[in-house]
Amino acid sequence: MQALNFPKFPFRFKNSENKISIFDCIRKKFVILQPEEWVRQHCILYLMEEKGYPKSLINIEKELIVNDLKKRYDIVVFSNDGSIYLIVECKAPSITISQQTFDQIAQYNRVLNANYLMVTNGLNHYYCQMDFENERYDFLKDIPNYNG
C-alpha cells in the first residue's frame, strides 16, 4: 500500500484467499485492506497515538440517516458526555479532496452535530471547527489533543 502522510504505525496483517486484511483495533477484527481502509486505519491510530483519544470513545463505520438515505460515517469520536466531538471522513489516496467531500461531511454533521470535522485522503488532511451560530466551519491547522 501507498505511504501516507501519517506517522509510521505498527499494523497487523493477514493474508487469506489471496486477500490481505488489516486488523481494526476498534472493531476488533480483520477487515479487507482497501485504499480507503488503509487511510481509516492510519487515522484511527493517529487519533489514539498522536492525539491521545481513548479507544473507548472512537466509533467506526456506523449507519446514519441523512435526508431519508442510509449513509455510513467513517470515524466518530465521542466526548465523555456522549455527544459527538469529531467526525472524520476518509477517502482513498487517489481521491482528491473537493468541495463535494466537505459537503458530504457537512451533511453528516447536520445529523451528528460534532464540534470538529476532519477530512483526509491520507495525503492531505483538513481540519475544521464548527461555528454553529454562523452556520459555517473554520479551518484549523490541526484538531485539538484529547483533554478528557
Side-chain angles (χ1 to χ4, degrees):
M1 279 280 149
Q2 179 175 356
L4 301 178
N5 187 15
F6 281 107
K8 297 270 186 261
F9 295 115
F11 292 106
R12 288 173 46 203
F13 300 98
K14 177 173 86 171
N15 192 341
S16 175
E17 298 173 17
N18 290 326
K19 289 193 172 139
I20 297 174
S21 296
I22 187 168
F23 188 75
D24 181 322
C25 67
I26 303 298
R27 292 179 275 188
K28 296 183 175 78
K29 66 178 184 177
F30 282 92
V31 292
I32 300 291
L33 183 57
Q34 302 284 350
E36 184 178 313
E37 192 63 48
W38 183 234
V39 173
R40 184 171 21 253
Q41 293 305 315
H42 275 80
C43 196
I44 291 166
L45 290 183
Y46 172 75
L47 292 170
M48 289 172 26
E49 304 291 325
E50 300 294 315
K51 295 304 201 171
Y53 290 94
K55 186 193 306 191
S56 61
L57 296 179
I58 299 174
N59 201 287
I60 307 297
E61 284 212 304
K62 292 289 192 269
E63 190 175 275
L64 72 153
I65 305 295
V66 178
N67 299 329
D68 296 327
L69 298 172
K70 290 182 181 182
K71 302 287 186 177
R72 292 181 88 74
Y73 60 71
D74 286 309
I75 303 171
V76 158
V77 178
F78 291 92
S79 298
N80 286 328
D81 67 7
S83 65
I84 295 178
Y85 183 76
L86 167 71
I87 306 171
V88 182
E89 179 60 31
C90 300
K91 298 292 184 193
S94 61
I95 304 294
T96 302
I97 303 293
S98 65
Q99 184 60 49
Q100 186 178 354
T101 314
F102 284 99
D103 292 347
Q104 178 184 359
I105 198 169
Q107 263 192 331
Y108 291 0
N109 205 33
R110 283 193 198 101
V111 176
L112 300 173
N113 295 314
N115 292 319
Y116 294 93
L117 309 177
M118 177 179 173
V119 174
T120 181
N121 64 3
L123 305 174
N124 299 298
H125 317 300
Y126 300 93
Y127 312 98
C128 308
Q129 182 172 14
M130 291 304 301
D131 178 350
F132 289 107
E133 195 172 303
N134 296 305
E135 296 184 0
R136 65 184 187 134
Y137 41 80
D138 298 319
F139 284 90
L140 305 171
K141 289 193 183 309
D142 203 350
I143 53 170
N145 291 336
Y146 178 73
N147 61 13

